[in-house]
Amino acid sequence: MWRRLIIASLLAGIAEFSHATSNSNNTVNDSKLQTWWHDSGVINTESPVQPEAVRQSHLYSVQVTNSVDQTYYDSFVYQTIPRNGQGNILIPDDLTSTTSASDGITIEETIGMTMSWSSFLYSADVWVKVHRLDGFSIVSDSFVIRPTNHNFTTSVTAGDLFIQVPFDEQGSKFSVEFNDNLYEFHDGCSDPTCSYVQDTTAEGPYYVEKFDDSMPLISVEPLDTLLIFASPFEDESLIPDQTSATSLVVSEGRISGLNTTNATTVIFGPGVYYATATDYLNLSATVSWLYFAPGAYVKGAVEYHTSSSLIRATGHGVLSGEQYVYQADPTYGFQNHNVDSSPLRMWKGTIPGGQQTTWIVNGPTVNSPPFNSMDWYGGLPACLVTDYKQVGGFFGQTDGMQAYPGSVFQNIFYHTNDDTIKVYHSDVTISNVIVQKGSTAPIIQFGWASRNISNIRVNDINIIHSRWNSNGSNPGLIGSNNLYDPSTTSTTAGNSSTADTYSTASDIVLSNIRAEGISGPLMRIYALENLSNITISNVWIEEFGSCNGFEDIGISESFMPAMTDASGNNVTVEGFVIENFVVGDEKVTLDTASTTGNLYWNAAFDVTIT
Ligand SMILES: *[C@@H]1O[C@H](CO)[C@@H](O)[C@H](O)[C@H]1NC(C)=O
Ligand SMILES: *[C@@H]1O[C@H](CO)[C@@H](O)[C@H](O)[C@H]1NC(C)=O
Ligand SMILES: *[C@@H]1O[C@H](CO)[C@@H](O)[C@H](O)[C@H]1NC(C)=O
Ligand SMILES: *[C@@H]1O[C@H](CO)[C@@H](O)[C@H](O)[C@H]1NC(C)=O
Ligand SMILES: *[C@@H]1O[C@H](CO)[C@@H](O)[C@H](O)[C@H]1NC(C)=O
Ligand SMILES: *[C@@H]1O[C@H](CO)[C@@H](O)[C@H](O)[C@H]1NC(C)=O
Ligand SMILES: *[C@@H]1O[C@H](CO)[C@@H](O)[C@H](O)[C@H]1NC(C)=O
Ligand SMILES: *[C@@H]1O[C@H](CO)[C@@H](O)[C@H](O)[C@H]1NC(C)=O
Ligand SMILES: *[C@@H]1O[C@H](CO)[C@@H](O)[C@H](O)[C@H]1NC(C)=O
Ligand SMILES: *[C@@H]1O[C@H](CO)[C@@H](O)[C@H](O)[C@H]1NC(C)=O
Ligand SMILES: *[C@@H]1O[C@H](CO)[C@@H](O)[C@H](O)[C@H]1NC(C)=O
Ligand SMILES: *[C@@H]1O[C@H](CO)[C@@H](O)[C@H](O)[C@H]1NC(C)=O
C-alpha cells in the first residue's frame, strides 16, 4: 500500500548544495500578512552551519499571498536535521568526539531525515504555494495535508501545490507530505527487543540488505517533513517597547552581556544570534521578558533568575538548541553528561518559591532541544502558553513542556521524542495540540511518580505521526508509566508494588484525540495511585499495525494491571470511562474491547466502555 522511497538517489543529490542560496527575498509586511527571510540561509543537510547562518530547506520553497492580484511573497523555509550535522558527539564543537552511547537517535540521521518549517503572520485568508526544489512536479494525488481534518482546499498548477488556509484566530499548523517522500520504519524482527533497521546505507548502523516479511512495518513518516505555521499577528501587549530605557536590544551575532544587564526586557530583532556551544542565555535577575521578533533566529537556551511574578517569552522568532551536544551540561563544560538534573533545558527558570508566578509564552518556535525542553526550580509558574511550536525533537528525552498548576496550553505543535503532553499537576487545561512523535514514551503522560492530581482537561489532540520502536519504549497515546527512580535513572517496570494508595488522580478528561496512520495503544496505565473519575472520550485511531509480526511485538496492546503499595494494599480504579473509542471505522464496545480495541485491564477495576 505504501510506496517505497528511493532514498539513495535523493541523498546523492544533496551534498553538492552546501552553499549560500541566491533565492529572492521578496517578503511582505502589511496589515494582512508578514513574511520574512534570512540572507544567511544555507542549504546543507550534512554538517553544522556557521554560527551566523540559518539552515534552509534543501527541498521546499514556500510563498504566500492574500492579495487579489495573487502576488506571492517569499516565506523562509527553515530546516533542522538529526544531530544538527555534528554526529553523536560528546564535546562541544569537536566532531571527532563521537560515542556509541545512545542519544535517542537510531536511524534518523543515517537515512537522511530532515524537518523543514515555514512561519508567517496573517489576519486574513491566504494561499500558500509549495514548490519542490528537486524538480518533482506535484500532481493532485501526490500529497496529503495532515492533520487530515483541516479539509483545506488545494489546487495544483504547473507542478506547484497551492493550499488555501482560511484565517483562524488559533492559527493553523499543518504538515504537507508527498507520497514519493515517505519513509517506512521497519523493526528488524518481531521480538519485543528489536528496533529499527534501515536498508539505505550499508556502512551505517542497523543495516539490512532489504526489508523482508519478518520485519514489521512500524510507521510511515515523511523523510523530509514540511510544516507550515500560520499565526495571527502578535497582540500589542506581547510586543515590548524597544525604545524603553529598561529594554536591551541585543546586537546580532555572538550574544553577550545578558547575565549582567540591568534591563528588564531583552529584545531580539530580526536577524541571527548565537550563544555558542559553550554558553547560553543565563539571564540576569532583572530580566523578566524575552522577545523574539518574527525573523529572529537565536541559537541558545534560556534560564531566568527573576523574582518578578510575571515572566514572559513572546514573539514569533526561533530559539534553537542546534549548537549544543546531546545533554549539554553547563556544570560540566557543556559536554554531554548523562544525568537528569544539570543538563541544559531550552527553558529553565530558577525563581522564588511560595510566590504566585505566571509565565506567558506566545509565538516562539523551539528547534532541536538537546534534552528536556523545560523545567523550573524554586517555584512553579502557571504557564499560559499559546501558539508555541517545537521542531527538530530528534534526540531522546526531548519532551514537551511541563504544565504546572494553573497552566493553560493552546494551539501547540510538538515534535518530540519523549513524554509530550505532561500532566503531572492539577488544574490544567491543554487544547489544540498537533503531535509528531519519535520513538519513546506516551503522548499524554501522568505517571513516573505517585501523584495527587485533579481537574485536568486535555482536548483536541491531533497526532499526525507516531512510532515506537519496541514494546519497551512505553508506547501509547495515554500513559502512566512505572515509578521512576532518579537515583538509578531507571524505572521499576515489572514491580507492581510501587503505588501509593494514599494518593489519588481524579477528575481527568482526555477528549477528542485523533491518531493518524499506524498507532500505538490507547493506553498503558500502571496506576501509581488510586484513579477516580477518569474519562477518555472520542478517540480515533486510524489503524494498529497489521503487518506480519506487529502483534508479536506487542506495541499496540493497552494495559491497566493491578498495582499495590509496598504493604500489599490494592490500588482502586473507579469511574474509569472510555467512551466512543473508534479504531478505523469500528467503534469499540465491551465485547470488542480486546479484539478491536486491544484493551486489557484488571478485572477488579471499575472500567466502563460505552
Ligand atoms: C533582502 O532584504 C533586505 C531587507 O529588505 C535587503 O537589505 C537585502 O538586500 C535583500 N537581499 C536580497 C538578496 O535581495
Ligand atoms: C513590520 O511592520 C510592523 C508594523 O508596521 C513594524 O512594526 C515592524 O517593524 C515591521 N517589521 C519588519 C521586519 O520590517
Ligand atoms: C473536515 O471534514 C470532516 C469530515 O467531513 C469533518 O468531520 C470535520 O469537522 C471537518 N473539519 C473542519 C475543520 O471543518
Ligand atoms: C557572564 O557570562 C560570561 C560568558 O558569556 C562570563 O564570561 C562572565 O563571567 C559572566 N559574568 C558573570 C557576572 O557571571
Ligand atoms: C546596573 O546598575 C548599576 C547600579 O545602578 C550600575 O552601577 C551598573 O553600571 C549598571 N550596569 C549596566 C550594565 O548598565
Ligand atoms: C547562571 O547564572 C546564575 C545566577 O547568576 C549563576 O549562579 C550560575 O552559575 C550561572 N550558570 C552558569 C553555567 O554560568
Ligand atoms: C518493589 O517496590 C517496592 C516499593 O518500592 C519495594 O519495597 C520492593 O522491594 C520492590 N520489589 C522488588 C522485587 O524490587
Ligand atoms: C485508595 O484505595 C484503597 C483501596 O480501596 C483505599 O483503602 C484507600 O483509602 C484509597 N485512598 C484514597 C486516598 O482514597
Ligand atoms: C497525597 O495526599 C495525601 C493526603 O494529603 C498524602 O497522604 C499523600 O502523601 C499525597 N501524595 C503525594 C504523592 O504527595
Ligand atoms: C468521583 O465522582 C463521584 C460522582 O460524581 C463523586 O461522588 C466522587 O467524589 C468522585 N471522586 C473523586 C475522588 O473526586
Ligand atoms: C509488552 O510489555 C508488557 C509490559 O512489560 C508485557 O506485559 C507484554 O507481555 C509485552 N508484550 C509482548 C508481546 O512481549
Ligand atoms: C487485591 O486485588 C487482588 C486481585 O488483583 C485480589 O485477589 C485481592 O483480594 C485484593 N485484595 C483486597 C484486600 O481487596
Side-chain angles (χ1 to χ4, degrees), residues 356-483:
Q356 288 263 344
T357 304
T358 302
W359 186 41
I360 292 179
V361 181
N362 172 261
T365 300
V366 159
N367 176 40
S368 195
F371 188 52
N372 291 181
S373 60
M374 175 269 237
D375 281 296
W376 291 68
Y377 300 88
L380 302 182
C383 304
L384 307 183
V385 181
T386 48
D387 198 8
Y388 178 75
K389 286 82 61 176
Q390 175 170 304
V391 296
F394 291 110
F395 282 130
Q397 307 198 71
T398 47
D399 51 9
M401 289 228 209
Q402 292 257 24
Y404 296 127
S407 291
V408 179
F409 281 70
Q410 281 175 314
N411 314 329
I412 313 290
F413 176 87
Y414 278 134
H415 180 229
T416 48
N417 192 0
D418 207 346
D419 307 312
T420 302
I421 297 172
K422 298 163 52 155
V423 284
Y424 302 163
H425 301 273
S426 296
D427 306 318
V428 304
T429 302
I430 295 173
S431 64
N432 188 19
V433 185
I434 297 173
V435 177
Q436 180 160 335
K437 184 68 187 59
S439 296
T440 306
I443 288 161
I444 301 169
Q445 169 75 274
F446 66 97
W448 300 128
S450 299
R451 305 174 187 282
N452 286 309
I453 49 173
S454 66
N455 188 24
I456 292 172
R457 298 289 177 271
V458 177
N459 182 42
D460 197 2
I461 308 302
N462 273 290
I463 299 146
I464 58 172
H465 295 282
S466 59
R467 57 179 150 91
W468 287 275
N469 56 344
S470 80
N471 188 32
S473 58
N474 293 321
L477 306 189
I478 299 163
S480 170
N481 289 148
N482 281 287
L483 189 70

Side-chain angles (χ1 to χ4, degrees), residues 290-314:
L290 271 180
Y291 178 69
F292 305 95
Y297 193 89
V298 179
K299 301 180 185 180
V302 171
E303 181 172 356
Y304 296 95
H305 295 281
T306 175
S307 56
S308 172
S309 61
L310 177 61
I311 305 176
R312 283 177 278 210
T314 64

Side-chain angles (χ1 to χ4, degrees), residues 12 22 26 58 78 89 215 316 343 348 432 437 461 472 479 508 549:
S22 56
N26 173 31
H58 75 288
Y78 298 88
I89 60 168
M215 300 173 185
H316 285 74
K348 180 173 171 181
N432 188 19
K437 184 68 187 59
I461 308 302
I508 298 177

Side-chain angles (χ1 to χ4, degrees), residues 192 471 526 552-554 559:
N471 188 32
Y526 298 89
D552 300 335
I553 309 178
F559 312 109

Side-chain angles (χ1 to χ4, degrees), residues 449-452 500 502-504 529:
S450 299
R451 305 174 187 282
N452 286 309
D500 172 4
Y502 292 97
S503 301
T504 309
E529 62 277 308

